[in-house]
Every structure is written in C-alpha cells, then in structure tokens.
C-alpha cells in the first residue's frame, strides 16, 4: 500500500513539474551555473571530484533541512493537520511519506544536472569502483542523517511561527561555513563539526570504516533527537491548542 501511495504521489509531482518545466529549467540552470563556478573557483583548494560530491550532498541536504518544515507549515496553514491527527495515520508517518517522495523527485532533477556538470567540468572519477561506491554510500548516509536534523527544525513549527525562514538560512550557512567549499579553522571548524560534512570529506578522500561509522552516529543522534523533539512539541501544541497559529 505504501509503495502504491509513493508511486501515485511521485507521478503526480512529476506531472506537476512538467507543467512548470519552463521555471524548472531556469532553476536547474541556475544550479548548474552556481556549481560550475564553485568547481572552478575552488579547484586549487580540493579536487573537483571531492567538491562535486560535497555539493551533490548539499543539494539534497538543503532540502532535508527546509522541506520537512515546509510540509508541516503547509498542513498547518491549510488546516489539514487536524485531519491527519484524527485519522489512523500519525503525522510522523505522513511526513516520512512526503520525504520519501521528495528524495525521489530530487534524484530525478539532480542526476541529469550533475551528469552534465561532470562532463563540462571534466571530473576525474576514481578508478577504484569500491572507492566510488563508498563515496556515494557516505553521501546517502549524510543525506539521511540531515533529514533527521530537518525533523528537529520542523518540530519548532508547532510552537513558533514561520520557522521556514530560519531553515533556509541554515541551509546556506551549511554551504559556506561547514567545510563544504573549503576546510575551515577556529570557531567555524568547531561549529562545522556539529554537521557530518567534515567526516564525509574524510570518507571521500580516504574511505575508512571509522569515518562511515561516525556518519552513522550523526544519523542516529539526529533522528533520535528529531523524533523526541517532534513528539514532545506536538504534545505541547495539542495541550495549548496552538496547532493553528500560522
């Protein structure tokens, strides 16, 4: 049943994308220009392959930060959240369903972009297939972990107004100040270590079980804290009767 729902929603979103293909083209073209510029500007700091992997991960994790909050805010604004609460499905279940579809849609949009980026920027991929698979696996683990962090932020919607403005800021903070474009030092390095990107960088440069395990630890912590905060603040909002403050 879940697979049928995902397939139906995925088809719906893809059809909707085709209706706005003109806007979608220019949005993706903007990403193409931005990433190409970063690949050229920072090529003396790190390999293009490393930076492409990090930017590919950031593309997904920026949505991991923002979209759970957007989903909750939309349900609050449309007054559909009360229907979900009264139904047999939990809000967590509905949100996970939307996230799964969002990841699939992101893959449909991102893969052609990054294939073109690889071609026009002459990316040298590793000859070792295991190293390539290890890098992609670490990227996916990072994306999954950041969706847990996105749950932490989305739970704030139950208490505060328009949390999405904060999540958009955090997604760009991650791009510039967590070691994606270039390694940092000092206070910014300490703050950057709160996110898994430095560990991901290590995995891509020199894969190791210890680094992969550390990303898994990030993932577990984010999801545990996210689930706890989500359920706790939802209960508080129910007691206060403040679910429709948007």
């Amino acid at each position: 049943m879940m697979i049928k729902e995902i397939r139906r929603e995925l088809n719906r979103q893809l059809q909707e994308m085709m209706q706005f293909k003109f806007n979608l083209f220019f949005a993706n073209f903007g990403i193409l220009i931005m990433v190409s510029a970063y690949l050229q500007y920072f090529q003396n700091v790190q390999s293009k392959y490393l930076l492409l992997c990090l930017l590919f991960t950031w593309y997904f994790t920026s949505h991991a930060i923002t979209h759970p909050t957007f989903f909750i805010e939309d349900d609050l604004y449309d007054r559909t959240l009360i229907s979900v609460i009264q139904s047999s499905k939990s809000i967590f279940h509905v949100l996970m369903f939307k996230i799964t579809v969002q990841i699939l849609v992101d893959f449909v949009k991102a893969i052609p972009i990054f294939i073109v980026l690889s071609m026009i920027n002459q990316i040298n991929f590793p000859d070792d297939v295991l190293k390539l698979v290890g890098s992609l696996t670490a990227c996916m683990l990072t994306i999954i972990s950041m969706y847990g962090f996105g749950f932490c932020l989305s739970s704030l919607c139950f208490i505060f107004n328009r949390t999405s403005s904060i999540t958009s800021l955090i997604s760009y903070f991650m791009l510039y100040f967590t070691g994606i474009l270039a390694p940092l030092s000092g206070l910014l390095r300490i703050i950057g270590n709160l996110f898994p990107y430095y560990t991901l960088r290590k995995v891509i440069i020199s894969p190791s079980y210890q680094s992969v395990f550390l990303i898994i630890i990030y993932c577990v912590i984010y999801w545990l804290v996210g689930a706890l905060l989500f359920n706790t603040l939802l209960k508080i909002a129910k007691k206060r009767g403040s679910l429709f403050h948007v």
Side-chain angles (χ1 to χ4, degrees):
M1 185 65 180
M2 181 71 172
I3 295 177
K4 289 182 179 179
E5 291 178 354
I6 291 174
R7 185 186 304 145
R8 183 169 58 250
E9 179 63 19
L10 179 61
N11 289 333
R12 187 193 68 79
Q13 289 208 29
L14 291 177
Q15 290 174 3
E16 187 176 297
M17 285 168 53
M18 291 301 99
Q19 293 177 357
F20 298 96
K21 53 182 174 292
F22 187 76
N23 293 341
L24 184 64
F25 170 79
F26 281 100
N28 290 337
F29 189 65
I31 294 174
L32 191 71
I33 294 174
M34 181 186 74
V35 175
S36 293
Y38 287 147
L39 288 172
Q40 296 301 321
Y41 186 79
F42 291 96
Q43 63 180 329
N44 295 327
V45 179
Q46 57 200 329
S47 70
K48 288 184 178 181
Y49 168 72
L50 171 59
L51 184 54
L52 182 69
C53 288
L54 291 171
L55 289 172
F56 175 83
T57 305
W58 174 80
Y59 174 85
F60 281 88
T61 55
S62 64
H63 292 172
I65 293 294
T66 57
H67 280 63
T69 298
F70 290 150
F71 295 149
I72 294 296
E73 284 189 346
D74 286 344
D75 285 343
L76 286 170
Y77 184 80
D78 295 336
R79 303 295 193 265
T80 57
L81 194 63
I82 190 66
S83 300
V84 176
I85 293 174
Q86 293 174 343
S87 69
S88 59
K89 296 180 181 179
S90 67
I91 298 177
F92 187 85
H93 172 88
V94 173
L95 196 55
M96 285 299 300
F97 166 73
K98 290 184 177 181
I99 284 173
T100 302
V101 174
Q102 183 61 50
I103 291 175
L104 294 175
V105 170
D106 283 345
F107 266 111
V108 172
K109 293 189 296 183
I111 289 179
I113 296 174
F114 283 89
I115 289 176
V116 173
L117 282 167
S118 301
M119 292 168 45
I120 64 178
N121 289 281
Q122 299 178 336
I123 304 297
N124 294 320
F125 288 89
D127 296 327
D128 189 344
V129 176
L130 291 178
K131 185 175 181 179
L132 179 60
V133 172
S135 298
L136 294 176
T137 301
C139 290
M140 288 305 304
L141 285 173
T142 303
I143 293 167
I144 293 171
S145 69
M146 293 309 295
Y147 267 103
F149 185 72
F151 259 94
C152 295
L153 299 175
S154 68
S155 62
L156 300 177
C157 294
F158 299 130
I159 304 298
F160 304 105
N161 292 329
R162 298 301 178 187
T163 311
S164 56
S165 58
I166 299 175
T167 59
S168 298
L169 179 63
I170 292 175
S171 68
Y172 280 99
F173 174 87
M174 291 192 309
L175 175 62
Y176 296 111
F177 301 112
T178 60
I180 292 178
L181 297 178
L184 302 172
S185 59
L187 178 61
L188 289 176
R189 178 61 181 256
I190 295 173
I191 296 174
N193 284 328
L194 297 175
F195 302 94
Y197 300 108
Y198 278 113
T199 306
L200 176 61
R201 173 185 289 275
K202 292 180 182 178
V203 174
I204 297 171
I205 294 174
S206 180
S208 68
Y209 290 113
Q210 292 86 350
S211 296
V212 173
F213 182 68
L214 184 55
I215 294 178
I216 294 174
I217 291 176
Y218 275 106
C219 185
V220 171
I221 292 174
Y222 283 153
W223 276 98
L224 286 178
V225 174
L228 178 62
L229 196 61
F230 190 89
N231 291 324
T232 300
L233 294 185
L234 177 59
K235 290 178 181 178
I236 292 174
K238 286 180 179 179
K239 289 181 180 179
R240 291 180 178 178
S242 59
L243 282 177
F244 304 116
H245 56 71
V246 176

